[in-house]
Amino acid sequence: MYTQHRREPIFNLPGIVLFVIGFLILIHSLRYYILIDDLDDELMRYLAYVPARLTFYFDPDRIADALSQLPVRNGALESAQFFLGDGNPQFWTLVTYSFLHADWSHVGINSVWLAAFGTPVARRIGPMRFILFLTFTAIAGALGHSVIHLTDFTPMIGASAAVSAAMGASVRFIFSANGPLAASGSSEFEGELSASALSNRRPVLPLHILMREPRVVLFVLVWLIVNLAFGLLSGPLNITNGTIAWEAHTAGFLAGLLFFPWFDRPRHRVNVEA
């Protein structure tokens, strides 16, 4: 006797993941090939997240002091005034910053990681919940970045916080029984359901139980250490045309890890995709 395994295509991404990746690539293509520098600068000022703008909304004196300490030379003061604008917090930028990227390597890396970790999350919770999840964790990433950079006038862009959140969310179920990284390593099928589909039928484990699993603890610790290292070394390594906002990544990852159950579908309502 033998068990026949169903073959799946190599590229089998959910439609919503393909849509998000395509949207990010489209936005960057428009900026790269169509917008002239002045218009792109205006787009950045309108859509990128600038921590100082949010701080100015609550504590304008603190931002005034920060501006007074900036040097006029090298355009530091001029750049800060440009991105601060009229001081309007532009709350929409808590989300829209994730639409923009610094360069092709930036959008490419985020797209690859979103395909890898966003796929199991999207399959589990469905398209609408997935979009809400990305929105929520993008906001969490921006706010986490602000905690460390209250008076920073540098615009932050990139979907990395939301992508990191997908990594954190996936931890809640990929290590579970019949999950993609189950301890048994079993890939057998029960009837017509794959191991991935079976894991999607199981509720997420409570965090205090999940964190007793050594592989989960190792995954989280390694991710946090690597993220911190890349953030601190992003300049010397020249990974992208800018520094890596490791604070936003960390906040996004933790938001995904902690709050994923808010977005998870009730298991009795899950429709497992073939």
Side-chain angles (χ1 to χ4, degrees), residues 26 37 64 72 143 161 166 183 186 212 216 243 263:
L26 174 63
D37 289 344
V72 177
L143 295 178
S186 173
R212 296 175 187 172
V216 173
T243 58
F263 302 90

Side-chain angles (χ1 to χ4, degrees), residues 50 67 70 75-85 153-154:
V50 179
L67 282 173
L70 289 176
L77 179 59
E78 181 181 1
S79 176
Q81 292 173 331
F82 175 81
F83 285 110
L84 179 63
F153 300 92
T154 305

Side-chain angles (χ1 to χ4, degrees), residues 94-109:
L94 289 164
V95 175
T96 57
Y97 78 92
S98 62
F99 302 163
L100 309 176
H101 289 82
D103 50 37
W104 282 112
S105 64
H106 191 197
V107 70
I109 290 171

Side-chain angles (χ1 to χ4, degrees), residues 166-224:
M167 297 181 188
S170 65
V171 172
R172 298 299 297 264
F173 61 90
I174 63 174
F175 293 100
S176 64
N178 292 317
L181 298 180
S184 65
S186 173
S187 60
E188 296 183 359
F189 290 81
E190 295 184 12
E192 295 297 322
L193 296 178
S194 68
S196 175
L198 287 170
S199 69
N200 283 345
R201 288 188 163 188
R202 299 176 181 273
V204 295
L205 291 174
L207 195 60
H208 69 278
I209 295 178
L210 187 70
M211 294 307 291
R212 296 175 187 172
E213 169 59 55
R215 291 167 306 130
V216 173
V217 175
L218 180 62
F219 181 92
V220 172
L221 287 178
V222 169
W223 187 92
L224 292 173

